[in-house]
Amino acid sequence: MTSLENVRVLTQSAIRIQNKDGVVIYLDPFSLTDAEAAHDADYVFITHAHFDHFSPEDIARVAGDHTELVAPASMGAEVARVADEIGATAVHLLQAGGRLELPGVAVEAVPAYNVEPERLGMHPQANGWLGYALTVDGVRYYAAGDTDQNPDNEQVACDVALVPIGGTYTCDPHQAAAFVNALRPKVVVPIHYGSIVGVPENFDEFAAEVAAGIEVVRKVER
């Protein structure tokens, strides 16, 4: 069993990754408790503009005195306002396919959008929203963002995939399993279920359909 001790999924899609040198990365911090307001972020990555992914108050809760923000280029104005409020030391705006080398993490921006007819308007490709492939300590983590499996993300190379399974706005457990089976990571961590959308039982539905040889790890804390 892989522990992924350096990875936490606090709630929804709020992910925290720490490297061996203590560099701390957050993706989409949201609905954090006072105990989780650590002000320890070196980097905060935002996938898109929905409230449960772009939460200025939660970005402020993790931001320290040297925090850098990474976000889709289409969100430049909103992210600039937050950067000013928290005193961010840098803002990096990426488009799909963009790459960035930062101390402690190499970044590749991956398109995140819906293709299923019932949710085409929720995360349109034209919005330029993103997932991120992050290489940390030689491990490639793919945080997919709010997305369906689509022609731009179904062949992302990764060791660890963090994919949404809650349905309604993203892949449901069955669609997410098909997505992961196409990606073939070593390990998958399901996210985006059990709070705003989806239920805790979605984990078991998803795990039952993931191909043999791909380890499924439960990480959502609440």
Side-chain angles (χ1 to χ4, degrees):
M1 172 69 74
T2 300
S3 65
L4 293 180
E5 290 181 358
N6 65 318
V7 177
R8 297 178 65 189
V9 181
L10 300 163
T11 189
Q12 187 71 347
S13 298
I15 300 163
R16 182 185 186 276
I17 301 172
Q18 183 168 334
N19 84 351
K20 60 181 176 57
D21 296 320
V23 173
V24 175
I25 298 162
Y26 285 88
L27 297 105
D28 292 348
F30 172 68
S31 192
L32 302 181
T33 66
D34 289 341
E36 293 161 348
H39 299 289
D40 60 350
D42 292 286
Y43 308 112
V44 177
F45 287 79
I46 303 301
T47 63
H48 67 289
H50 288 160
F51 76 95
D52 53 330
H53 298 265
F54 178 55
S55 169
E57 57 268 35
D58 288 294
I59 295 172
R61 283 172 169 248
V62 301
D65 58 6
H66 57 275
T67 301
E68 302 182 24
L69 304 182
V70 184
S74 58
M75 292 179 62
E78 305 121 283
V79 172
R81 285 193 293 271
V82 172
D84 286 342
E85 290 169 2
I86 67 169
T89 57
V91 175
H92 308 277
L93 299 176
L94 294 176
Q95 295 181 338
R99 295 174 183 268
L100 184 63
E101 291 284 341
L102 297 169
V105 57
V107 183
E108 180 182 348
V110 180
Y113 59 89
N114 293 130
V115 295
E116 296 297 327
E118 68 272 19
R119 47 181 179 259
L120 276 176
M122 296 174 181
H123 304 92
Q125 184 176 8
N127 284 5
W129 291 342
L130 301 174
Y132 298 99
L134 307 177
T135 302
V136 179
D137 295 334
V139 178
R140 189 166 158 95
Y141 301 86
Y142 171 43
D146 273 15
T147 192
D148 294 326
Q149 179 179 348
N150 62 57
D152 288 305
N153 67 11
E154 61 191 5
Q155 296 186 16
V156 173
C158 58
D159 301 299
V160 179
L162 298 107
V163 298
I165 70 168
T168 305
Y169 308 109
T170 71
C171 308
D172 65 24
H174 314 289
Q175 294 161 337
F179 182 21
V180 168
N181 291 342
L183 292 175
R184 299 298 305 180
K186 297 174 183 175
V187 181
V188 60
V189 178
I191 61 173
H192 205 280
Y193 71 100
S195 54
I196 293 175
V197 293
V199 293
E201 291 76 17
N202 289 152
F203 177 92
D204 297 315
E205 298 174 65
F206 168 75
E209 297 185 23
V210 171
I214 302 174
E215 186 176 356
V216 184
V217 175
R218 191 191 305 266
K219 277 287 182 178
V220 171
E221 297 180 9
R222 54 183 171 83

